[in-house]
């Protein structure tokens, strides 16, 4: 069904998020006393550009949607997320948005919130079990497939690539890893994939990439499952004399994932070749949109939406709004049948983060 976009424009006083350190300490922003629905948003971390962008967008969209806001930061720790959920309950929130990084361990907390009739929207990740009102996410298998098609095309179907995996305790890490491997096996069997578990840790990713390049100096591609690995990857390549332009025979083709401003600058500079743009702005917007809808008693069904996405039914009682996440390249070309947009396209949130 088509989603209704007419939302309340009632003005609300929302605390400005002025210091990321306040989020990291787990302290909440002050809620307004205007009578607007009070919701809680747990930020999963504040140590990456992507999540810092999400943190920046959230209070703005809360204000636009007429919601009062409490926030916490679980710092990539499911135990802290569980504790933060208890804090939200004690504060009387009417709904909670979260991005659990351990998608299995969050199940007991979801069950408790369901029993208390507090709707939950998860952002970026999908719980392995349990019910939430809506999952706001992009198709993470498509991330891996897009990266595969780009690298497979650039390498003419042969050579070695390193995949710097995220955490496999996360549905995102599993989806991106499995899809990349499946796509390479099916479409580019001449490409050897060196998979490296990193648990979304940039230092670990850099160390493993350095080891792989020492043992395999003929590596010609790198797939980073998130921009957490961007800085370390470029530093390693620079140290080995491989951070050269795409026309140089020594160039190592790199695909990242997030669409942060730094990635777009690096694409323009020829340091990396592509990324998949996760919509940090839309994650914030639609997390709060669906929380408000849940509080108002609205329901949704699978199908196309009015914001260029598709709601799918993952399993009984679980819907996922899969937002658009385009492949981004310097030329906006098509790779392995996958269209891309140019890195300077003004529709990309990474080009509009003021």
């Amino acid at each position: 069904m088509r989603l209704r976009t007419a939302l309340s424009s009632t003005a609300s006083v929302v605390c400005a998020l002025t210091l990321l350190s306040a989020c990291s300490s787990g302290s909440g922003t002050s809620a307004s006393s205007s009578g607007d629905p009070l919701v809680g948003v747990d930020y999963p971390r504040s140590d990456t550009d992507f999540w810092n962008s999400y943190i920046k967008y959230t209070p703005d969209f809360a204000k636009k949607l007429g919601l009062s806001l409490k926030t916490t930061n679980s710092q990539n720790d499911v135990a802290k997320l569980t504790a933060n959920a208890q804090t939200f309950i004690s504060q009387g929130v009417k709904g909670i948005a979260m991005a659990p990084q351990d998608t299995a361990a969050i199940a007991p907390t979801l069950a408790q919130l369901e029993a208390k009739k507090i709707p939950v929207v998860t952002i970026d990740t999908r719980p392995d079990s349990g019910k939430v009102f809506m999952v706001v996410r992009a198709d993470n298998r498509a991330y891996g497939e897009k990266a595969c098609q780009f690298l497979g095309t650039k390498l003419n179907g042969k050579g070695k690539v390193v995949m710097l995996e995220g955490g496999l305790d996360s549905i995102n890490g599993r989806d991106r890893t499995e899809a990349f491997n499946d796509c390479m096996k099916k479409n580019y069997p001449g490409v050897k994939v060196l998979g490296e578990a990193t648990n979304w840790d940039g230092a670990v990713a850099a160390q493993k990439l350095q080891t792989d390049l020492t043992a395999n100096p003929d590596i010609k591609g790198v797939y980073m499952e998130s921009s957490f690995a961007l800085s370390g990857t470029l530093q390693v390549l620079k140290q080995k004399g491989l951070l050269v332009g795409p026309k140089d025979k020594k160039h190592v083709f790199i695909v990242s994932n997030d669409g942060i401003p730094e990635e777009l600058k690096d694409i323009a500079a020829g340091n990396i070749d592509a990324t998949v743009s996760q919509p940090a702005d839309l994650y914030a917007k639609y997390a709060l949109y669906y929380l408000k809808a849940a509080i108002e008693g609205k329901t949704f069904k699978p199908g196309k939406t009015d914001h260029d996405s598709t709601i799918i039914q993952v399993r009984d009682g679980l819907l996922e709004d899969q937002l658009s996440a385009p492949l981004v390249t310097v030329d906006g070309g098509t790779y392995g049948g996958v269209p891309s947009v140019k890195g300077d396209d003004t529709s990309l949130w990474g080009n509009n983060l003021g």
Side-chain angles (χ1 to χ4, degrees), residues 79-135:
K80 289 182 180 178
L81 176 53
T82 298
N84 291 344
Q86 304 308 311
T87 298
F88 285 145
I89 292 171
S90 70
Q91 292 171 333
V93 301
K94 302 300 183 182
I96 298 174
M98 62 174 70
Q101 302 299 286
D102 187 329
T103 52
I106 196 60
T109 299
L110 295 179
Q112 180 189 21
L113 293 170
E114 182 184 8
K116 291 184 176 294
K117 301 187 184 305
I118 299 175
V120 175
V121 172
T122 64
I123 308 99
D124 182 52
T125 63
R126 181 177 69 226
D128 294 355
S129 61
K131 292 184 178 180
V132 299
F133 181 77
M134 184 69 74
V135 177

Side-chain angles (χ1 to χ4, degrees), residues 165-182:
E165 303 165 356
L168 298 185
D169 58 351
S170 160
I171 185 67
N172 288 356
R174 295 195 299 271
D175 275 359
R176 297 174 199 184
T177 297
E178 291 169 3
F180 187 82
N181 281 330
D182 290 347

Side-chain angles (χ1 to χ4, degrees), residues 35-40 66-68 92-96 117-121 133 287-300:
D36 294 333
L38 178 65
V39 299
L67 295 170
S68 296
V93 301
K94 302 300 183 182
I96 298 174
K117 301 187 184 305
I118 299 175
V120 175
V121 172
F133 181 77
L288 295 168
Y289 170 88
Y290 284 116
L291 276 187
K292 183 171 184 179
I295 294 167
E296 294 175 347
K298 296 178 181 178
T299 59
F300 300 91

Side-chain angles (χ1 to χ4, degrees), residues 13-257:
V13 180
V14 180
C15 174
L17 181 63
T18 56
L19 290 175
L20 291 179
S21 59
C23 293
S24 299
S25 68
S27 62
T29 60
S30 299
S32 76
S33 57
S34 65
D36 294 333
L38 178 65
V39 299
V41 177
D42 182 81
Y43 302 135
R45 56 198 302 172
S46 55
D47 59 348
T48 70
D49 289 344
F50 177 81
W51 284 113
N52 285 340
S53 299
Y54 171 77
I55 288 170
K56 179 178 179 180
Y57 283 120
T58 297
D60 293 338
F61 281 116
K63 184 175 182 178
K64 291 176 182 177
L65 293 171
L67 295 170
S68 296
L69 185 64
K70 292 283 188 179
T71 66
T72 55
N73 191 313
S74 53
Q75 299 173 311
N76 207 25
D77 185 331
V78 72
K80 289 182 180 178
L81 176 53
T82 298
N84 291 344
Q86 304 308 311
T87 298
F88 285 145
I89 292 171
S90 70
Q91 292 171 333
V93 301
K94 302 300 183 182
I96 298 174
M98 62 174 70
Q101 302 299 286
D102 187 329
T103 52
I106 196 60
T109 299
L110 295 179
Q112 180 189 21
L113 293 170
E114 182 184 8
K116 291 184 176 294
K117 301 187 184 305
I118 299 175
V120 175
V121 172
T122 64
I123 308 99
D124 182 52
T125 63
R126 181 177 69 226
D128 294 355
S129 61
K131 292 184 178 180
V132 299
F133 181 77
M134 184 69 74
V135 177
V136 176
R137 187 171 176 252
D139 183 350
N140 276 245
R141 285 194 63 85
Y143 293 175
E145 290 166 359
K146 291 174 181 179
C148 159
Q149 293 290 0
F150 180 85
L151 287 175
T153 299
K154 285 294 187 180
L155 271 60
N156 295 313
K158 57 186 178 181
K160 297 177 182 178
V161 302
V162 177
M163 174 169 52
L164 299 173
E165 303 165 356
L168 298 185
D169 58 351
S170 160
I171 185 67
N172 288 356
R174 295 195 299 271
D175 275 359
R176 297 174 199 184
T177 297
E178 291 169 3
F180 187 82
N181 281 330
D182 290 347
C183 171
M184 280 297 185
K185 184 177 180 180
K186 176 182 178 181
N187 298 292
Y188 307 101
V191 174
K192 181 179 181 180
V193 178
L194 305 175
E196 297 290 3
T198 71
N199 197 33
W200 310 111
D201 187 313
V204 172
Q207 183 272 318
K208 290 192 173 183
L209 176 60
Q210 187 167 35
T211 299
D212 283 337
L213 284 169
T214 299
N216 301 273
D218 55 343
I219 286 171
K220 296 301 294 181
V222 177
Y223 170 38
M224 304 181 295
E225 291 190 6
S226 168
S227 60
F228 75 94
L230 179 63
S231 176
T233 293
L234 296 183
Q235 185 63 33
V236 169
L237 292 178
K238 184 176 181 181
Q239 290 172 352
K240 291 190 171 290
L242 299 174
L243 190 61
V244 294
K247 294 183 179 181
D248 192 303
K249 291 183 179 180
K250 295 191 296 182
H251 182 74
V252 176
F253 291 96
I254 300 172
V255 181
S256 188
N257 198 125

